[in-house]
Amino acid sequence: KLTNFQLYSCGNPHRQNSSCSVSWNCAGTTLASASSNQVYLWRSPSSFDTTTSTINSFLNFEHRAAVDRVRFHPSDPNLFCSSVRDRTIQLWDLRVDKQKPFGKIDLKSNLGSCAHSCEWFGAHKWNNSNGDNKNNSESDPQSMYLVISERDDSVYIYDVRKIQQTNQRSHRGAYPRSSQVGSDSSSGQVPIHSFDASPCALRHTCFSPSGSHLISSVTNKQDATSSLVVYPWKNSDQTQKIEDMIKSPSIPSASYLAHIGKCFAVRFSPDGQRMATGGADALVGLWDVRSMVCTSTITRQSKFIRGVSFSYDSKLLACCTEEDLVDISNAVTGEHVGTVDLSRSGSGSKGAANRRGADEVSFHPKSYLLACARENDPRPNSAGGAQIPMVTIAKLTCK
């Protein structure tokens, strides 16, 4: 049971912009948040005096457009990617120039301003929790693969190493300016695999725990139901239609009904045994990965599920909505463990109706710290209204 929690506020609560995404690095020392045209980095509360309740960012990475998502690499604590609303995925290294990315992927679709999702290979694991395996990407080249879901219902897999190497050759070893990285002539811009989810509407794609398959959440445009489609990705040399792969008896693929309405969130537990999905029907599904059976359903929420996250030991599951109450559950049974009230992290006695909950949640890779990306109401707060921090970190105490 959740017996207590302490909240830390990250960022200036009087800001006008919001945070829509959070991601911890594998070492657990740094938290990244996406907000407006910046990616902010925050130190973990475990790395400083915990008597303070306010955390200030120590580094920020400026972008030319709003940042929609940020994802740290699952085994390199210095690498992260950002999904930007100028139809690019940008690649950053904390050890290099802080003013420009070392690589960039231009989205192929002109629909929308950003990708639906971008996820690293092995993102369900924290297999390098100490952050000291500097050669992990060399020993496992697939760890540098990135899967991107675009808004034209296409899925692309890129090898980040090719983008980096191409940029270095083109600019004589120097990291290029962001306006020059990833031009159409760059061979690194060519995806190594691609898939077409039409006629269904694609939402999210990630690698399976084994790494052998992709899992995409798709919505049937006729009856508005969402399914999880599981399909292999390694043996395709040209764009394949996911619908044809599911129908083919020779291809190890399948489709599983998941939600009524869109499925917004898909996450695997760090041990690879469980999967959680969250949808527009305000339900959270808990799945056994081996059998792909939904064993439990969490029905305590009244708004659509924005994000889900497993704890480092795969025992807890957090889910967030536009309400200020973050639900904490047993990751196997779905039993209620406790609730984190985010309204306690704001200031001001009024304006509670203007709160917008959390857009995304992310558990720390080594402790019960839960980061919540906060979203302000776009309407101006009235005098004396509540002020919401950019990110709220909840330190959970359980027994």
Side-chain angles (χ1 to χ4, degrees):
K1 292 295 182 179
L2 177 65
T3 59
N4 191 24
F5 62 89
Q6 180 179 356
L7 298 181
Y8 300 89
S9 297
C10 301
N12 180 6
H14 300 283
R15 77 199 191 289
Q16 294 299 317
N17 56 304
S18 305
S19 178
C20 56
S21 181
V22 284
S23 177
W24 295 96
N25 71 346
C26 60
T29 57
T30 305
L31 174 71
S33 68
S35 178
S36 185
N37 64 336
Q38 306 271 354
V39 169
Y40 293 89
L41 297 188
W42 320 85
R43 298 193 189 281
S44 168
S46 60
S47 63
F48 63 88
D49 184 3
T50 55
T51 59
T52 181
S53 61
T54 303
I55 305 173
N56 295 318
S57 62
F58 69 92
L59 201 60
N60 65 290
F61 295 79
E62 186 173 352
H63 294 64
R64 297 184 178 182
V67 183
D68 184 71
R69 286 291 179 263
V70 60
R71 292 289 184 267
F72 261 112
H73 190 274
S75 58
D76 190 324
N78 297 297
L79 296 181
F80 72 88
C81 68
S82 55
S83 177
V84 191
R85 291 186 177 275
D86 60 359
R87 293 197 288 272
T88 65
I89 303 293
Q90 299 188 15
L91 308 166
W92 301 82
D93 191 331
L94 304 187
R95 298 160 294 190
V96 194
D97 196 326
K98 308 301 187 298
Q99 302 302 316
K100 52 182 176 287
F102 72 78
K104 187 175 71 171
I105 299 171
D106 295 309
L107 300 185
K108 296 184 176 298
S109 170
N110 290 323
L111 297 179
S113 58
C114 63
H116 268 313
S117 68
C118 58
E119 300 290 348
W120 293 97
F121 181 94
H124 71 285
K125 297 180 180 179
W126 287 298
N127 52 11
N128 181 26
S129 59
N130 293 323
D132 55 5
N133 184 6
K134 298 180 179 179
N135 296 319
N136 185 75
S137 60
E138 297 179 3
S139 59
D140 184 10
Q142 291 181 142
S143 68
M144 298 301 286
Y145 287 177
L146 195 65
V147 60
I148 299 173
S149 297
E150 296 204 22
R151 294 179 183 268
D152 65 346
D153 306 323
S154 298
V155 178
Y156 299 99
I157 299 177
Y158 291 89
D159 187 341
V160 170
R161 297 169 305 157
K162 293 182 178 180
I163 297 174
Q164 181 178 1
Q165 292 168 0
T166 301
N167 291 333
Q168 289 177 325
R169 287 196 303 267
S170 301
H171 298 269
R172 300 181 181 179
Y175 285 93
R177 298 181 182 275
S178 58
S179 60
Q180 295 175 314
V181 184
S183 62
D184 292 339
S185 60
S186 169
S187 61
Q189 285 280 312
V190 179
I192 58 175
H193 299 288
S194 59
F195 303 89
D196 180 7
S198 63
C200 292
L202 176 69
R203 183 69 194 187
H204 185 97
T205 303
C206 57
F207 290 97
S208 66
S210 66
S212 61
H213 288 68
L214 292 176
I215 294 90
S216 294
S217 63
V218 298
T219 303
N220 187 312
K221 297 179 181 179
Q222 295 181 344
D223 60 11
T225 59
S226 287
S227 299
L228 299 175
V229 290
V230 183
Y231 51 99
W233 60 272
K234 293 184 178 180
N235 298 323
S236 61
D237 296 327
Q238 56 185 358
T239 300
Q240 291 185 282
K241 288 190 69 66
I242 297 176
E243 184 181 47
D244 295 339
M245 298 174 69
I246 298 298
K247 295 178 179 179
S248 174
S250 62
I251 299 178
S253 56
S255 177
Y256 305 89
L257 183 64
H259 291 273
I260 303 299
K262 294 180 179 179
C263 177
F264 294 109
V266 179
R267 281 289 178 268
F268 288 99
S269 60
D271 62 11
Q273 301 301 308
R274 308 291 295 175
M275 178 180 65
T277 61
D281 51 9
L283 300 178
V284 175
L286 291 174
W287 300 68
D288 174 72
V289 172
R290 184 177 296 274
S291 62
M292 280 303 291
V293 171
C294 183
T295 58
S296 302
T297 303
I298 300 172
T299 62
R300 290 183 290 271
Q301 305 302 317
S302 60
K303 304 288 186 179
F304 73 88
I305 307 300
R306 287 179 168 179
V308 294
S309 178
F310 285 94
S311 60
Y312 73 99
D313 55 4
S314 302
K315 293 182 178 180
L316 299 179
L317 177 75
C319 68
C320 64
T321 69
E322 64 183 51
E323 298 173 312
D324 271 341
L325 304 179
V326 176
D327 185 85
I328 309 297
S329 308
N330 181 298
V332 177
T333 65
E335 179 185 2
H336 187 237
V337 172
T339 302
V340 176
D341 185 358
L342 297 179
S343 66
R344 289 169 47 181
S345 64
S347 62
S349 59
K350 299 179 181 180
N354 287 353
R355 297 184 183 279
R356 299 295 295 273
D359 204 57
E360 190 172 66
V361 289
S362 178
F363 263 111
H364 189 276
K366 295 193 289 185
S367 65
Y368 284 162
L369 288 174
L370 180 66
C372 308
R374 307 300 304 280
E375 182 181 2
N376 260 337
D377 194 295
R379 298 168 298 179
N381 286 332
S382 59
Q387 302 293 337
I388 305 175
M390 188 178 298
V391 176
T392 296
I393 300 178
K395 182 179 182 180
L396 311 183
T397 301
C398 300
K399 69 174 183 178

